Amino acid sequence: MDFENRVVLVTGGGAGLGEACALEFAAQGARVAVADWSAESAERVASRINDNGGEAIALAIDVSRADQVDEMVNRILSPWGRLDVAVNNAGVSAPIKPLAETEEDDYERLMGVNLKGVWLCMRAELRQMLKQGGGNIVNMASALSKRVFPGASFYVASKFAVAGMTRTAALEYAEQGIRINAVCPGNVRTPLLESTTDAQTQQILAGLHAMKRMGTPEEVAQAVLWLASGRASFCTGNLMSVDGGWTAG
Ligand code: ADP
């Protein structure tokens, strides 16, 4: 998978799955824009890439704000002039609760990032990709784009919606040389997950997968890179499961 000099944007690139994607694209020769609302996390990942002889910039942005998203694309164009690949990965979760107990604030915050954020990013990315005559988008969906999970009503809703938006946009832009796919990870061992869940919960999460273990961020990144690469040249509108067999059942 050759990404030599390709310009790649990873939103939520400062941690977890996004960080693994940013590092792997850089390892394959890409110039990487690491966008995250944590300026510190974005800087840390960009520095790791630059310190290893790669080329990265850090962008502190909130994907739920239209002005900041449009500005994000401009800040990539000013050094690099184009946007070849966009990975829309920024996401948040909400407390696990049955629907009747959920809060409006949590709903607004989650939908603002997981759904509106992906829509705003795709809109800005597509406008640039249409101008330059092609591009590639990979959205971070979830196994919960295909299965439901009690206690996660609006998280599930946001991920089902991302799956639908991915497939719709894939059809809209297939003839213009823009492939649009999504990766649907199962439960992945990230620092965030390990710091917020106890050992028993982690065991339950791993047990949902046929393989009875959690995934790693690197395993998810490999699927993202493959979809974004020329090897996937006939794939668009795909929702690729990387979930140890969870949704096969
Ligand atoms: P995952 O396990 O999906 O990788 P993380 O929480 O580890 O989850 O990573 C998600 C990343 O998305 C974090 O770095 C977080 O700062 C980032 N993020 C969350 N909300 C926003 C937002 N509104 N704008 C930009 N980045 C965001």
Side-chain angles (χ1 to χ4, degrees):
M1 288 185 278
D2 186 8
F3 288 98
E4 206 63 44
N5 290 326
R6 296 268 157 190
V7 176
V8 178
L9 161 67
V10 184
T11 72
L17 302 178
E19 176 174 7
C21 292
L23 295 176
E24 193 54 37
F25 274 111
Q28 303 283 336
R31 294 175 280 185
V32 183
V34 182
D36 205 291
W37 76 359
S38 160
E40 199 187 322
S41 305
E43 287 290 351
R44 184 182 59 79
V45 174
S47 300
R48 259 182 90 176
I49 292 171
N50 290 323
D51 291 348
N52 280 323
E55 202 180 337
I57 55 173
L59 305 173
I61 57 111
D62 179 348
V63 295
S64 67
R65 296 274 310 274
D67 52 344
Q68 295 188 24
V69 168
D70 293 342
E71 178 61 19
M72 165 179 79
V73 173
N74 288 333
R75 283 164 68 193
I76 294 167
L77 294 181
S78 77
W80 293 331
R82 53 186 294 115
L83 175 61
D84 297 300
V85 175
V87 180
N88 297 313
N89 161 79
V92 292
S93 54
I96 295 285
K97 286 179 190 167
L99 197 147
E101 292 163 31
T102 49
E103 304 286 347
E104 189 176 2
D105 281 356
D106 286 332
Y107 175 90
E108 299 285 4
R109 182 180 56 84
L110 184 141
M111 285 296 185
V113 181
N114 292 13
L115 180 52
K116 185 182 178 195
V118 173
W119 167 66
L120 284 173
C121 288
M122 288 180 79
R123 189 175 69 160
E125 293 152 3
L126 284 165
R127 286 174 176 170
Q128 172 55 29
M129 289 172 180
L130 287 168
K131 267 191 221 156
Q132 69 194 26
N136 201 296
I137 295 177
V138 182
N139 292 328
M140 198 57 78
S142 168
L144 300 186
S145 296
K146 301 180 175 185
R147 284 284 179 284
V148 305
F149 193 78
S153 54
F154 48 71
Y155 181 86
V156 168
S158 76
K159 293 297 183 178
F160 267 64
V162 166
M165 198 155 58
T166 301
R167 292 169 60 190
T168 306
L171 300 191
E172 290 172 351
Y173 297 102
E175 287 181 277
Q176 277 109 315
I178 304 170
R179 291 190 300 105
I180 304 170
N181 294 287
V183 168
C184 300
N187 298 309
V188 173
R189 205 179 317 120
T190 58
L192 181 84
L193 186 123
E194 286 189 323
S195 66
T196 54
T197 54
D198 56 31
Q200 198 192 353
T201 309
Q202 288 177 37
Q203 217 174 356
I204 293 168
L205 292 176
L208 292 168
H209 306 142
M211 290 183 182
K212 304 298 177 207
R213 68 165 177 89
M214 290 221 226
T216 67
E218 292 72 26
E219 287 172 315
V220 177
Q222 289 303 327
V224 171
L225 266 84
W226 184 80
L227 284 169
S229 78
R231 293 184 185 182
S233 52
F234 202 44
C235 294
T236 199
N238 235 54
L239 306 177
M240 186 190 273
S241 293
V242 184
D243 65 1
W246 182 6
T247 58

